[in-house]
C-alpha cells in the first residue's frame, strides 16, 4: 500500500521506513510533488494533525498520515503547545524558544511538562489518531548538546539526563513521537 507521510523531514521519513513492513511504500510530500506549506490553524495538536493529513487526502485521495507535536508546560497552562515551533515568534530559533521558556519559568517551582505527539492517519477517508506522550520537567538551564528543539531543557521523569544528553536510540524508545509511531505501526502491521 502506498502511504504518504505529510512531511519533508528526512529524519522522520527514514525512521518510519525502517520500522514498517514492506507491505507499505512510504512517500514524502516531495515524492508527490507537493511543495506548499500545509496550514496549521488550530488550537490543539489533534486538530492540527488532522488538518495536515486531510489537506493531503482531500487533494490527492491517497492514504496518508501527519504528525503534530507540542511541549505542554503545566504552569503556563499548556504553553507553548501548538505554538512550540514558533513560540518566540515567526522564524525564531530553537535557542530563542528555549530562552523564552526559561525566562517565563524563572523562579517558578512547578516545572512539570510533557511532550505530546498526535499522529492522524487517513485510510480510505477514515481517520485514526495515535497519541504518544512523555512526562518530565523543565530544567533551569540547558544541559546536553544532542537532539533538537527543547531537548537541552527537558528531562523525562525517572531519568537523570535530558533528551539532549540521551542516546538517540533510548530517546526514540521513550519519546512522545516514538510512542505515537509505535502505536501507528502496530495498527498498520496488523
Ligand atoms: P513538530 O510538530 O514535530 O514539527 O514539532 C513542533 C515543535 O516541537 C518543534 O519545532 C520543536 O520545537 C518541538 N519538538 C518536537 N519534538 C521535539 C523533541 O523530540 N525534542 C525537542 N523539541 C521537540
Amino acid at each position: 500500500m502506498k502511504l504518504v507521510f505529510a512531511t519533508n523531514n528526512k529524519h522522520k521519513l527514514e525512521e518510519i521506513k525502517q520500522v514498517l513492513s514492506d507491505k507499505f511504500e512510504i512517500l514524502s510530500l516531495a515524492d508527490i510533488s507537493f511543495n506548499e506549506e500545509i496550514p496549521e490553524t488550530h488550537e490543539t495538536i489533534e486538530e492540527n494533525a488532522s488538518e495536515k493529513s486531510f489537506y493531503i487526502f482531500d487533494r490527492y485521495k491517497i492514504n496518508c498520515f501527519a504528525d503534530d507535536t507540542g511541549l505542554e508546560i503545566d504552569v503556563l497552562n499548556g504553553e507553548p503547545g501548538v505554538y512550540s515551533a514558533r513560540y518566540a515568534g515567526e522564524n525564531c530559533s530553537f535557542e530563542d524558544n528555549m530562552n523564552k521558556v526559561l525566562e517565563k519559568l524563572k523562579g517558578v517551582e512547578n516545572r512539570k511538562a510533557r511532550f505530546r505527539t498526535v499522529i492522524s492517519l487517513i485510510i480510505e477517508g477514515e481517520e485514526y489518531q495515535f497519541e504518544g506522550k512523555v512526562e518530565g520537567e523543565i530544567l533551569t538551564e540547558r544541559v546536553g548538546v544532542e537532539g533538537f528543539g527543547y531537548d537541552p531543557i527537558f528531562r523525562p521523569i525517572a531519568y537523570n539526563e535530558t533528551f539532549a544528553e540521551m542516546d538517540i536510540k533510548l530517546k526514540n524508545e521513550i519519546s512522545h513521537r516514538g510512542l505515537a509511531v509505535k502505536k501507528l505501526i502496530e495498527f498498520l502491521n496488523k
Side-chain angles (χ1 to χ4, degrees), residues 42-177:
H42 295 282
E43 299 286 313
T44 67
I45 292 169
E46 282 79 2
E47 287 171 302
N48 277 342
S50 267
E51 182 174 31
K52 286 192 253 185
S53 55
F54 274 110
Y55 199 82
I56 297 305
F57 184 80
D58 289 344
R59 279 159 186 76
Y60 294 85
K61 298 288 176 252
I62 185 167
N63 294 329
C64 63
F65 63 96
D67 67 337
D68 198 48
T69 294
L71 172 65
E72 301 173 338
I73 300 174
D74 284 359
V75 80
L76 301 179
N77 296 318
E79 276 186 24
V82 286
Y83 303 107
S84 294
R86 50 189 193 281
Y87 194 40
E90 291 301 325
N91 305 318
C92 64
S93 65
F94 293 144
E95 296 303 317
D96 298 333
N97 284 334
M98 281 191 285
N99 284 338
K100 181 163 179 183
V101 166
L102 291 176
E103 194 56 41
K104 286 206 165 209
L105 293 189
K106 223 175 207 162
V108 173
E109 210 167 295
N110 176 5
R111 308 188 72 91
K112 274 196 207 148
R114 77 200 50 76
F115 273 112
R116 209 158 65 81
T117 293
V118 171
I119 294 176
S120 161
L121 167 73
I122 301 172
I123 302 278
E124 314 297 346
E126 190 86 28
E127 186 189 20
Y128 306 86
Q129 287 203 341
F130 307 92
E131 182 196 60
K133 59 182 171 184
V134 56
E135 300 286 337
E137 62 178 347
I138 303 295
L139 303 189
T140 52
E141 57 182 20
R142 296 166 173 74
V143 185
V145 294
E146 304 297 330
F148 71 101
Y150 300 89
D151 277 349
I153 58 171
F154 183 84
R155 184 166 61 200
I157 260 174
Y159 289 86
N160 287 325
E161 46 191 6
T162 64
F163 269 169
E165 295 177 282
M166 208 169 256
D167 180 76
I168 182 73
K169 253 186 90 185
L170 176 59
K171 183 189 167 190
N172 285 338
E173 267 169 40
I174 66 163
S175 82
H176 44 299
R177 199 170 21 261

Side-chain angles (χ1 to χ4, degrees), residues 29-48:
L29 291 175
D31 291 331
I32 58 168
S33 304
F34 179 90
N35 300 310
E36 296 166 44
E37 278 282 309
I38 304 182
E40 291 180 42
T41 58
H42 295 282
E43 299 286 313
T44 67
I45 292 169
E46 282 79 2
E47 287 171 302
N48 277 342

